[in-house]
């Protein structure tokens, strides 16, 4: 038998030479994908976005559109009422401040200045009288000092603790006792016949002229600024409220026109009621504020402006009288050089004060709008003219060495310049009382025109919004 050859296949995994690389199952070059887990939650949309979507969806149906219209109408009417109440409350408060706070404080500040200047004048007049100082002169000085102190207390009580006015008031309260002490020393030495009394009086006058009166004038200016600020808050038209009122009426008119086009119904009672209330509020707002504005403007033009000019005139007359007296007290000890000329300092200031007085009286005559206001101002002008004549005559006597005659012509009982000064002061007091009455009448009318407007606007706005909602609700009921 022939041999049987048994061929053994290799057991190694290495292929035999020449047989090539074994073919393996197909594999991807990239790693296998991970098995997906549960889906991550999407971020929740904002409430605003969801609300917009809902509104958009609602707007596709007539009931949805009606609900949107009703909400917008109610919002407009309520906003109109709220803004009206807010703006008119602010203006009513400012108008009340004009009448009861800022203008009285402005007058108090002017009275502080006047009282201090008049006290200084009375002190110099009493000094000139020497040991024969009259009880009238002394009482006038004491009364003015008390008035200034009382007005300072009142001003301090009505000013903000950290305000510039409060600091000025504190400064005046500090200076007032110092001034009184100097005047008392001057009087004491004067009664004893010591010449140093005149030096003390001049020192007291310097404290008054250089420190106290400028501080009082600064207080007067600050209170006038406060008064003007209150006017500025009370008189502007409430344009925001007026604009909202017009917008609300336009929206209500459009809603009723739309309702008529879709239903052929002429009136919707709820929308008509809302329109009526909005129209009443808008009319009340415009007319009421216009009347208030006219009254407040009149109180400023024919009250405050006249009062300011008259206060300035009174202050100028007081300063002139004080300088006239000090001319005799100093007896040429104080001089002032202007250009190449040398003048008596107090007489030079007297002439400047009289010039200012004439200018203020001329302005007061122009501002006077009736006979009662013009008559005392005209009389004061006549008194001022006579005062100038008598002062010139007294200065001639003094310059010629007739001091006692000059003194009699200034502080004497008859035909003295003091009579003219007293007449000017009395006529200005009368004019101030008249203008004060006119101011209170006009400012009171302006403030009263705003009475009830804020509360009335709020109540009517709520009723108007309710009417708009009910009117739209009536239409919605037709779809149920």
């Amino acid at each position: 038998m022939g041999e049987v050859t048994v061929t053994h296949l290799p057991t190694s995994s290495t292929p035999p030479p020449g047989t090539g690389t074994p073919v393996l199952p197909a594999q991807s070059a990239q790693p296998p994908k991970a098995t997906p887990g549960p889906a991550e939650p999407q971020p929740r949309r904002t409430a605003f976005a969801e609300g917009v979507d809902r509104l958009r969806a609602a707007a596709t149906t007539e009931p949805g559109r009606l609900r949107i219209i009703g909400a917008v109408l109610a919002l407009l009417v309520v906003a109109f009422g709220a803004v009206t109440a807010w703006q008119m409350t602010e203006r009513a408060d400012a108008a009340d401040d004009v009448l009861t706070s800022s203008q009285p404080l402005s007058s108090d500040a002017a009275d502080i200045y006047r009282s201090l200047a008049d006290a200084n004048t009375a002190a110099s007049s009493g000094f000139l009288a020497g040991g024969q100082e009259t009880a009238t002169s002394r009482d006038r000085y004491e009364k003015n000092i008390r008035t200034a102190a009382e007005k300072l207390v009142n001003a301090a009580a009505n000013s903000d603790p950290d305000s510039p006015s409060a600091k000025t008031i504190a400064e005046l309260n500090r200076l007032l006792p110092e001034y009184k002490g100097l005047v008392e020393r001057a009087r004491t030495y004067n009664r004893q016949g010591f010449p140093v009394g005149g030096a003390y009086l001049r020192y007291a006058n310097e404290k008054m002229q250089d420190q106290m009166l400028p501080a009082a004038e600064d207080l007067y200016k600050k209170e006038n600024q406060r008064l003007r600020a209150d006017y500025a808050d009370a008189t502007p038209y409430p344009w925001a409220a007026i604009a909202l009122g017009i917008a609300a009426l336009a929206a209500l008119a459009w809603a009723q026109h739309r309702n008529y086009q879709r239903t052929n119904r002429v009136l919707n009672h709820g929308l008509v009621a809302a329109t009526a209330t909005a129209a009443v509020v808008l009319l009340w707002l415009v007319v009421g504020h216009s009347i208030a504005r006219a009254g407040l403007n009149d109180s400023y033009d024919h009250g405050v402006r006249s009062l300011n000019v008259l206060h300035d005139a009174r202050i100028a007359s007081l300063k002139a009288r004080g300088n006239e007296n000090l001319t005799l007290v100093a007896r040429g000890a104080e001089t002032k050089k202007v250009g190449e000329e040398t003048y008596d300092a107090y007489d030079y200031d007297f002439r400047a004060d009289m010039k200012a007085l004439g200018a203020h009286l001329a302005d007061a005559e122009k501002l006077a709008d009736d006979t009662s206001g013009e008559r005392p101002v005209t009389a004061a002008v006549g008194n001022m003219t006579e005062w100038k004549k008598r002062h010139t005559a007294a200065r001639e006597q003094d310059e010629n060495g007739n001091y006692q005659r000059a003194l009699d012509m200034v502080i004497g009982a008859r035909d003295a310049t003091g009579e003219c000064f007293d007449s000017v002061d009395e006529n200005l007091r009368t004019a101030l009382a008249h203008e004060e009455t006119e101011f209170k009448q006009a400012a009171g009318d302006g403030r009263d025109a705003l009475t009830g407007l804020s509360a009335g606007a709020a109540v009517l706005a709520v009723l108007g919004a309710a009417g708009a909602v009910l009117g739209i609700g009536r239409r919605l009921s037709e779809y149920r």
Side-chain angles (χ1 to χ4, degrees):
M1 292 180 63
E3 290 182 8
V4 178
T5 303
V6 179
T7 304
H8 296 280
L9 296 174
T11 58
S12 171
S13 60
T14 302
T19 60
T21 304
V23 179
L24 300 176
Q27 295 182 357
S28 173
Q30 298 182 358
K33 295 181 179 179
T35 303
E40 295 182 3
Q42 295 294 325
R44 184 172 179 178
R45 303 180 67 201
T46 63
F48 177 77
E50 291 181 359
V52 170
D53 286 346
R54 290 176 183 176
L55 285 175
R56 188 181 293 113
T60 60
T61 64
E62 181 62 12
R65 285 191 288 269
L66 288 174
R67 291 188 181 93
I68 294 172
I69 291 171
V72 171
L73 291 177
L75 181 62
L76 273 175
V77 174
V78 169
F80 171 43
V83 173
T84 298
W86 164 54
Q87 290 195 307
M88 299 320 297
T89 297
E90 284 190 337
R91 283 157 176 76
D93 290 343
D96 187 67
D97 286 342
V98 164
L99 183 62
T100 63
S101 178
S102 52
Q103 198 284 324
L105 282 175
S106 176
S107 292
D108 282 349
D111 285 340
I112 290 170
Y113 192 110
R114 184 202 61 78
S115 298
L116 292 175
D118 200 14
N120 197 48
T121 299
S124 61
S125 297
F127 183 89
L128 287 173
Q132 290 76 40
E133 180 182 7
T134 63
T136 301
S137 175
R138 179 73 182 183
D139 290 344
R140 182 171 184 168
Y141 168 81
E142 294 292 348
K143 180 181 178 182
N144 280 300
I145 290 295
R146 285 196 303 270
T147 299
E150 291 170 359
K151 296 292 184 180
L152 284 170
V153 170
N154 186 51
N158 289 279
S159 62
D160 296 330
D162 297 329
S163 65
S165 293
K167 296 178 181 177
T168 304
I169 293 167
E171 179 68 9
L172 285 169
N173 277 323
R174 181 185 67 82
L175 292 170
L176 188 58
E178 297 179 5
Y179 171 80
K180 288 175 62 180
L182 291 171
V183 170
E184 291 307 318
R185 287 187 182 183
R187 280 178 168 154
T188 300
Y189 287 124
N190 189 43
R191 284 194 298 268
Q192 295 174 358
F194 295 149
V196 73
Y200 272 105
L201 186 64
R202 289 195 299 272
Y203 185 32
N205 178 71
E206 288 175 4
K207 185 176 286 292
M208 178 64 76
Q209 298 290 344
D210 297 340
Q211 298 181 53
M212 298 178 69
L213 291 182
E217 185 177 8
D218 182 60
L219 178 63
Y220 177 53
K221 289 179 179 178
K222 286 185 173 68
E223 294 303 333
N224 270 338
Q225 289 172 357
R226 178 179 172 183
L227 175 60
R228 286 193 293 270
D230 285 337
Y231 269 106
D233 290 338
T235 54
Y237 273 106
W239 293 115
I242 292 173
L244 278 172
I246 294 173
L249 285 175
L252 286 165
W254 172 83
Q256 292 177 88
H257 180 68
R258 182 181 184 277
N259 181 62
Y260 171 73
Q261 286 184 322
R262 282 164 173 73
T263 64
N264 286 328
R265 295 172 184 170
V266 177
L267 298 176
N268 178 293
H269 294 165
L271 294 179
V272 170
T275 303
T277 55
V280 168
V281 173
L282 183 59
L283 184 64
W284 190 2
L285 171 65
V286 173
V287 174
H289 186 270
S290 296
I291 294 173
R293 180 187 172 93
L296 289 169
N297 285 338
D298 184 60
S299 73
Y300 187 84
D301 292 336
H302 301 291
V304 172
R305 289 179 62 195
S306 294
L307 287 170
N308 288 342
V309 169
L310 290 169
H311 280 307
D312 290 340
R314 203 174 185 192
I315 288 168
S317 70
L318 287 163
K319 291 171 70 175
R321 179 59 176 171
N323 282 317
E324 183 178 45
N325 288 343
L326 287 167
T327 301
L328 296 175
V329 172
R331 304 185 73 170
E334 300 287 341
T335 60
K336 177 179 293 188
K337 190 171 184 179
V338 181
E340 297 297 326
E341 299 291 333
T342 301
Y343 300 92
D344 181 287
Y346 295 115
D347 189 55
Y348 183 87
D349 290 340
F350 167 83
R351 296 179 186 279
D353 293 333
M354 292 299 281
K355 183 177 181 181
L357 173 60
H360 294 317
L361 289 176
D363 290 340
E365 281 189 301
K366 293 177 183 177
L367 290 172
D369 56 349
D370 57 16
T371 305
S372 299
E374 186 179 1
R375 187 185 302 113
V377 177
T378 302
V381 172
N383 300 144
M384 179 192 66
T385 303
E386 181 63 24
W387 184 1
K388 287 180 179 180
K389 292 179 181 178
R390 295 184 183 184
H391 174 81
T392 301
R395 290 300 300 145
E396 288 178 357
Q397 294 295 325
D398 187 30
E399 290 172 356
N400 292 330
N402 298 325
Y403 178 77
Q404 186 58 47
R405 176 58 181 157
L407 188 63
D408 292 339
M409 294 177 71
V410 172
I411 64 169
R414 295 183 58 187
D415 298 329
T417 59
E419 291 181 353
C420 300
F421 162 71
D422 289 338
S423 297
V424 169
D425 193 65
E426 183 60 32
N427 281 310
L428 289 176
R429 183 185 292 111
T430 302
L432 280 165
H434 172 75
E435 298 300 335
E436 188 82 23
T437 300
E438 287 207 332
F439 162 79
K440 289 180 178 179
Q441 180 65 44
D445 291 343
R447 181 195 61 179
D448 294 344
L450 300 176
T451 302
L453 180 52
S454 299
V459 171
L460 289 174
V462 172
L463 294 176
V469 170
L470 291 175
I472 296 298
R474 181 68 180 271
R475 284 282 293 119
L476 283 171
S477 65
E478 299 173 1
Y479 289 88
R480 295 169 187 161

